[in-house]
Amino acid sequence: MKLGLKPEFVKHTSETRLHSCPIPIVGLTGGIASGKSTVAKILDKNGLLIIDADQLIKRIYQRSDIQEKIKSIDPSFITEAGPDFGKIRKWAFKNPENRQFLESVLYPYLPAEFIQVVRENKDSKFVIYDVPLLFEKSLHPLVDFIVCVYIPQELQIKRLTQR
């Protein structure tokens, strides 16, 4: 499926777009258990380029230099199998300083990882960036178009508790 964005939806150039991306970005966001991942999977099955922010972070965690920095916090955070995300998550959310430190280690690598995926998919006319914290991280002004997946709160709570 070869699709493009209508010109009126393209707000940026590569100079003003998130990570200096050469093609338009559709920010896909939504609350926890809203169905955002389901929407992303449907779009992916239809041949659209999806970049998942969480997957980019997991790629960054695989870097040996990152693992050494994480290990310096607590050696048990990195096992022979790789990062222990449960332990790291628990530590990161213990206090805001921990989370900020972890983000300062990981986030500088996001632009290069993002652009690498775009380059690997050079035939794409635009990218759908699946990013749960689009607004919280103030990324929304840097994308061309935003899609927010929404469900009623009662259903969202039901889906979340079923997890």
Side-chain angles (χ1 to χ4, degrees):
M1 174 188 298
K2 298 263 182 175
L3 294 175
L5 284 179
K6 292 182 177 183
E8 60 267 26
F9 294 144
V10 178
K11 300 188 309 191
H12 293 284
T13 65
S14 61
E15 290 82 29
T16 61
R17 194 174 286 123
L18 180 68
H19 307 317
S20 300
C21 186
I23 59 176
I25 300 173
V26 175
L28 176 63
T29 194
I32 189 167
S34 65
K36 181 178 57 59
S37 296
T38 301
V39 170
K41 285 177 189 169
I42 292 167
L43 296 172
D44 181 56
K45 283 182 182 176
N46 281 283
L48 300 178
L49 172 57
I50 310 295
I51 297 180
D52 182 325
D54 294 335
Q55 292 305 313
L56 288 181
I57 290 292
K58 286 186 177 179
R59 281 173 59 158
I60 294 167
Y61 269 110
Q62 300 311 310
R63 297 174 53 107
S64 60
D65 57 332
I66 295 297
Q67 289 190 12
E68 287 304 312
K69 288 178 185 177
I70 305 273
K71 219 186 252 189
S72 72
I73 301 164
D74 183 332
S76 73
F77 285 175
I78 305 296
T79 68
E80 285 186 27
D84 185 329
F85 293 113
K87 283 184 180 179
I88 295 168
R89 193 175 303 111
K90 186 176 179 181
W91 174 83
F93 288 101
K94 189 182 280 187
N95 69 54
E97 292 81 21
N98 291 357
R99 191 187 80 254
Q100 288 170 351
F101 175 77
L102 189 59
E103 289 175 355
S104 77
V105 169
L106 300 169
Y107 284 10
Y109 295 92
L110 272 172
E113 289 292 333
F114 183 96
I115 292 301
Q116 180 62 35
V117 175
V118 170
R119 286 186 183 131
E120 291 166 1
N121 294 275
K122 59 183 177 266
D123 292 336
S124 295
K125 302 279 188 225
F126 62 94
V127 59
I128 297 172
Y129 192 27
D130 179 351
V131 55
L133 302 176
L134 182 72
F135 292 100
E136 293 83 350
K137 295 296 180 185
S138 299
L139 302 175
H140 60 285
L142 302 173
V143 300
D144 296 278
F145 191 76
I146 297 169
V147 174
C148 182
V149 178
Y150 169 82
I151 60 172
Q153 187 176 21
E154 304 80 38
L155 182 55
Q156 186 179 18
I157 291 169
K158 180 180 178 185
R159 290 181 56 161
L160 188 57
T161 56
Q162 288 175 344
R163 286 187 184 175

